[in-house]
Structure formats: structure tokens, C-alpha cells
Amino acid sequence: MDSFLIKGGVPLRGTVEISGSKNAALPILAATLLTDEPCVIRRVPDLSDTRFMVKILESLGATAKFENGTVTVHAKKIKGYADYDLVRKMRGSICIAGPLLGRLKKARISLPGGCIIGARPINLHLKGFQALGCKIKIEGGYIDATAKKITGNSMFLGGRAGPTVLGTANIMMAAALGDGITVIESAACEPEVVDVANFLNAMGAKISGVGSPTITIEGVKKLHGAEHEVIPDRIEAATFLIAAGATNGEITVKGARAEHLRAVIDKLGEAGVSVERNGADLIARRKGKLKPVDITTLPYSGFPTDVQAQMMALLVLAKGISIITERIFESRFMHVSELARLGADIEIEGPSAIVKGGKPLSGAPVMASDLRASAALVIAGMAAKGTTQVNRIYHLDRGYEKMDEKLKKLGARIQRVEEK
Ligand code: EPZ
């Protein structure tokens, strides 16, 4: 398994181009199953997750080509049965269920299972499918969903931690080809959900209200092929803005959308990292000393849970007490023990991490546990004195395109160590 070797203490300086959003690309690639015509999706980040999704589409019978960030998919004829192992390995693949139900009125996919950050239930997805007239059977690790027809309906999709991002996308995709009107209350407002709806509307769907908690879908008979460019990855952009603050450098982030980053830019400002707009570019640099701040992760447009770990890596450098409360997932603090190996002083109290910041970090071998935790460890390693080896970097490769190359261009002393 590959690892990153990082020599810390270098302020990052320069410009970085943000890739397309992983969390928009995955459901948008799944949505290409809704039509028998070819679709062209541009600015797809080249990640293990997106390559996996293309493999899943091919296992369903679609033809697909992934070249220079553009994926061409032609799901002329498809089957409703996805390869058990393929789906089981990537939670995000649950979002093929909606398109399969919309197109074929049936879907047989393995239960996605949980992951290190939480149980990751899909009860809200199933609740929505049932509201659309689907019969759901769960046996032998599979979800078997069938419907005589998809009938529009109103439903409330709020759960234990508020809306569901992929659940909202799944219902939109199933209802797009349904009979009648579907109204989703407590829909997710994330920009990635808006991007999926924009692609569906480009295919001829009739979806309105996206970006608000109430989405209306008027079913249509057929969807046609379309072209679409994926929105920039706001989580990747946030990661680089934070890295500028953590290394006391100055980074110009190109290709991001400031309007998707309001909560992050606000909190960074409070913490002493200014993010200024220069046209479409964002320039991040420290403004004086880092200050402790309190953060609670919330559904969009609140502070994103996917930036929680990276923010913690910054706040361990800010002298004083920062309280970080994770309200979306039940165990998203795997990075705490690894940050402690670098000298961080953090205590977990239920859903909160109490960060006693300001102690100097010194490099050590650490273990990545999940996608965003690995990004936090890379940030901390770049701020630490000495050398940090971040092991199991495959977690990071799932969601960050060419992270080491982008960091190297900014002056980071980082190299990928391939395990023989
Ligand atoms: C998406 O996951 C993202 N993944 C996650 O990003 C992100 O953290 C999450 O949304 C929240 O913003 C992709 O888009 C591929 P949810 P998703 O359904 O849709 C509970 C990353 O690092 N819930 O919005 O699976 C759930 O347990 C990844 O890029 C139910 O209770 O998340 C969680 O507590 C990690 N029942 C909360 O809702 C359900 O049926 C939010 O989950 C579904 C979810």
C-alpha cells in the first residue's frame, strides 16, 4: 500500500487548479443509466471512486470511455443486477438504485454496508423508493427493489442527522421517469445535488426547487442523452485553503466556486486565515496568529462534515481551546488518535472533540483511516517539524486527484512511496 513521505515546515505558495467534484460526478455518472442515448460528462476527476463507478456502469451493460477527465457513457441496453462485490466496495454506488428503478423498474444491488465514519444506513433511500410504489426485499446482503410502475408521490426524507445527499439524488433519478409529480420534503441542498438535477434537466427531466429543502419532480416518459460539466470540488478547494493557513503560506485556488464555500471561508476568517476573492480565484493566507474557533458540522449550507478533519488539523496549531462538534456522522474522529501521534492534544467528549491547540507538531508515521482523515494528516504533516509518513494513502486517492503533484507544485516536500 502506498504512503506519502512529507518533510514539514515549508509554507505552501502558488496556484492550484481544483478538479471536478467527486460527490457530484458519482451520482451524475449513475444518472447516465436513465437513457439509452450517449452522454458526455466532462471534468470528471480521475479517482479510484470514479473509475470504480465507470466499472459498475460497464458491469450493468453500458459502454463507457474515460479519457482526460471526460467520460462518455452509452447505456443502450442494461440489466438491473449489479455485481455484488463491485457495489459492496464503494458506498457511493448506492446511487445506481434510483436510475435502475427509473429505467427498468427493478434494481438488485448489494447492501452498501457501513464504513469507518458510521453505519451509513439507507433507510431513507428505501423509504423514498417505497413511496414511489417500489416493493423492497432485503435478503442475502442484497436489496431487491421492483415496481409495476414508478408513481409520483410526496415524501419527507429527513433522517437522524437531517437530509440525505445520495438519498435525495436517488429519489430524483427514480422519479424523473415516474408517472406524475413527486415532492421531496427535507431534501438535501448540497451543490452536488443541484448539479445532478441540472444534468437530469439537460436530459429532459422536469425538476425544480433544487438547492431548497423542497424539490419537485414532474415525471416524463423518456430522457435523452446530454453533455454536462461537473461542478468544482468544494471539499478539495477547502482542503487547499486550509493547507495555506496551516503552513503559513499563500495559495491561489483556481476554478472553485466561492458561493459553495461560504461556511468554510467564514470559519477560516474567524481562525485567522483570510480568503480573498480575486475575480473567480480565491487567495488564502494567514492574517496574524491562528485563533481557536468552535465548529459544528451541519447539512448544507452549514459547515461541511467533509471538511471537519482538515479544519481540526489547522486548529491544533491555534493556541487555545477549539471545540469541534460532528453532527452528521456518528464516528468521524478517526483522525484524532493519528493527529495525537504528531503531538496534538485533543480529547473526545461524545460528539465533540476538544482541541487544546498551540503545541508544536513533530513528524511521525501515521495511518490514514478514511478519505478526509487522510487529507487532515497530510495537512498536519506539512505543518509539523520533521518527517511524517502517512500510510494507506489509497484512502486519499479515492477522493483527491493528483494530490501529491498539486502539493509539490506548491512547494511541499512530499513524495509517494510505492509499496513493492
Ligand atoms: C454524501 O454521502 C457524501 N458522499 C459524503 O462524502 C458526505 O459526507 C455526506 O453526503 C454528507 O454530506 C457522496 O456524495 C458520495 P447522507 P451520503 O445520506 O449521501 C444519515 C466524502 O468524504 N442517513 O447525506 O451517503 C447518515 O447516517 C464522503 O466525500 C440515514 O440515517 O450521506 C448520516 O448520518 C463521506 N439514513 C446522514 O444521514 C439514510 O437512508 C447524512 O448522510 C441515509 C443517510
Side-chain angles (χ1 to χ4, degrees), residues 22-23 91 121-124 160 164-166 306 328 372:
K22 163 181 88 81
N23 291 350
R91 244 204 63 76
I122 56 165
N123 59 307
L124 299 172
R160 56 175 285 280
T164 161
V165 170
L166 287 182
D306 293 348
I328 305 296
R372 307 303 172 182

Side-chain angles (χ1 to χ4, degrees), residues 22-24 26-27 49 91-95 115 117-126 159-168 188 190 192 234-235 298-300 304-306 327-330 332 370-372 398-399:
K22 163 181 88 81
N23 291 350
L26 291 176
D49 271 13
R91 244 204 63 76
S93 48
I94 183 69
C95 62
C115 65
I117 61 176
R120 314 298 296 272
I122 56 165
N123 59 307
L124 299 172
H125 297 244
L126 302 181
R160 56 175 285 280
T164 161
V165 170
L166 287 182
T168 302
E190 272 68 5
E192 293 75 26
R234 63 191 167 102
I235 309 301
L298 289 166
Y300 193 84
T305 174
D306 293 348
R327 288 278 180 231
I328 305 296
F329 289 107
E330 54 270 40
R332 199 168 197 174
D370 61 277
L371 170 53
R372 307 303 172 182
R398 284 191 42 219

Side-chain angles (χ1 to χ4, degrees), residues 227-251:
E227 304 214 0
H228 183 80
E229 175 164 312
V230 173
I231 56 170
D233 194 314
R234 63 191 167 102
I235 309 301
E236 183 195 22
T239 305
F240 280 101
L241 296 174
I242 291 170
T247 60
N248 202 4
E250 177 173 311
I251 296 180

Side-chain angles (χ1 to χ4, degrees), residues 325-407:
T325 303
E326 172 58 56
R327 288 278 180 231
I328 305 296
F329 289 107
E330 54 270 40
S331 62
R332 199 168 197 174
F333 285 141
M334 299 305 289
H335 41 287
V336 167
S337 49
E338 296 307 302
L339 288 171
R341 286 180 202 280
L342 301 175
D345 182 352
I346 308 167
E347 250 170 72
I348 297 178
E349 278 296 323
S352 299
I354 321 283
V355 180
K356 295 169 197 152
K359 299 182 177 66
L361 298 184
S362 54
V366 290
M367 184 81 77
S369 54
D370 61 277
L371 170 53
R372 307 303 172 182
S374 35
L377 295 174
V378 170
I379 290 171
M382 292 189 298
K385 257 200 319 302
T387 303
T388 296
Q389 170 142 1
V390 183
N391 295 306
R392 298 193 178 172
I393 214 66
Y394 65 85
H395 288 292
L396 193 118
D397 293 334
R398 284 191 42 219
Y400 287 94
E401 191 178 39
K402 304 192 180 83
M403 174 73 131
D404 41 342
E405 289 168 34
K406 291 182 178 178
L407 287 172

Side-chain angles (χ1 to χ4, degrees), residues 203-280:
M203 295 168 82
K206 290 187 181 146
I207 301 174
S208 55
V210 279
S212 88
T214 305
I215 295 179
T216 303
I217 304 111
E218 186 188 334
V220 295
K221 286 266 160 290
K222 200 169 161 3
L223 293 173
H224 52 72
E227 304 214 0
H228 183 80
E229 175 164 312
V230 173
I231 56 170
D233 194 314
R234 63 191 167 102
I235 309 301
E236 183 195 22
T239 305
F240 280 101
L241 296 174
I242 291 170
T247 60
N248 202 4
E250 177 173 311
I251 296 180
T252 299
V253 167
K254 294 186 94 59
R257 295 222 189 130
E259 68 273 21
H260 292 165
L261 287 156
R262 286 206 178 90
V264 172
I265 292 172
D266 175 60
K267 271 301 163 190
L268 281 173
E270 257 184 66
V273 180
S274 90
V275 179
E276 277 153 31
R277 296 178 70 158
N278 176 15

Side-chain angles (χ1 to χ4, degrees), residues 274-288:
S274 90
V275 179
E276 277 153 31
R277 296 178 70 158
N278 176 15
D281 297 346
L282 296 173
I283 302 166
R285 65 172 80 83
R286 259 196 217 171
K287 268 254 177 305

